[in-house]
Amino acid sequence: MNRNRLLNAELAHAIASMGHGDLMIVCDAGFPIPSTAWRIDLAISPDVPDLETVLTPIAASFIAERVGYADTLPVHNAPLLAKLKRLFPDADFETTKHETILAEMAAKAKVIVRTGAFDPWGNILLYSGVDVPAWFSKPGVVAPDYYARKMKS
């Protein structure tokens, strides 16, 4: 049996398939997922599962270098933004126009994970990163400035 807290086989496979810079979108129940996208549909009923329930095991298994969200989220759904910052404390955060997430970013995503969330602007962009200490810990290797703050002693 898997020791990991993430039991969904397809979601675990998706995370294992991510390369540096690849995009995973974890979205709410109403997100318009393109028919060509790799879709992992976890939605069962309204708010089941909710975003936090899905994002928590993803955060434990996935290195998010950047986390993106709609530019309207800080004003219109501040509690969700607080959860994102708690779940992904080492990530860089960036805003994107909501319309851009729905169209352009959905087309660029390697995988889109649909939750049952009824959360306004609940469409989260997770950009795959690297385990900085693992990549830059060999003798003589120097982490660039943008990774230096992620080096743990």
Side-chain angles (χ1 to χ4, degrees), residues 101-146:
I101 293 172
L102 297 178
E104 292 172 39
M105 303 317 290
K108 293 178 181 179
K110 184 167 191 168
V111 61
I112 300 176
V113 181
R114 180 175 176 249
T115 70
F118 276 39
D119 259 309
W121 301 278
N123 307 307
I124 311 306
L125 309 175
L126 301 175
Y127 295 90
S128 184
V130 297
D131 181 348
V132 173
W135 280 89
F136 295 99
S137 64
K138 292 180 181 160
V141 175
V142 178
D145 290 342
Y146 51 89

Side-chain angles (χ1 to χ4, degrees), residues 4-5 9 14 31 33-36 44 53 61 65 75 78 89 92 98 102 108 112 135 145-146 152:
N4 197 330
R5 302 301 303 169
F31 191 80
I33 299 174
S35 60
T36 56
I44 297 171
T53 299
S61 304
E65 185 167 279
V75 172
D92 295 327
H98 186 243
L102 297 178
K108 293 178 181 179
I112 300 176
W135 280 89
D145 290 342
Y146 51 89
K152 295 184 174 37

Side-chain angles (χ1 to χ4, degrees), residues 21-80:
D22 282 346
L23 172 61
M24 172 188 290
I25 298 177
V26 180
C27 66
D28 61 25
F31 191 80
I33 299 174
S35 60
T36 56
W38 178 5
R39 173 192 187 121
I40 300 175
D41 197 335
L42 303 177
I44 297 171
S45 60
D47 280 326
V48 178
D50 64 8
L51 280 165
E52 186 172 13
T53 299
V54 174
L55 287 169
T56 297
I58 289 174
S61 304
F62 180 80
I63 298 171
E65 185 167 279
R66 291 183 293 144
V67 175
Y69 51 87
D71 55 354
T72 50
L73 187 69
V75 172
H76 297 288
N77 196 345
L80 178 55

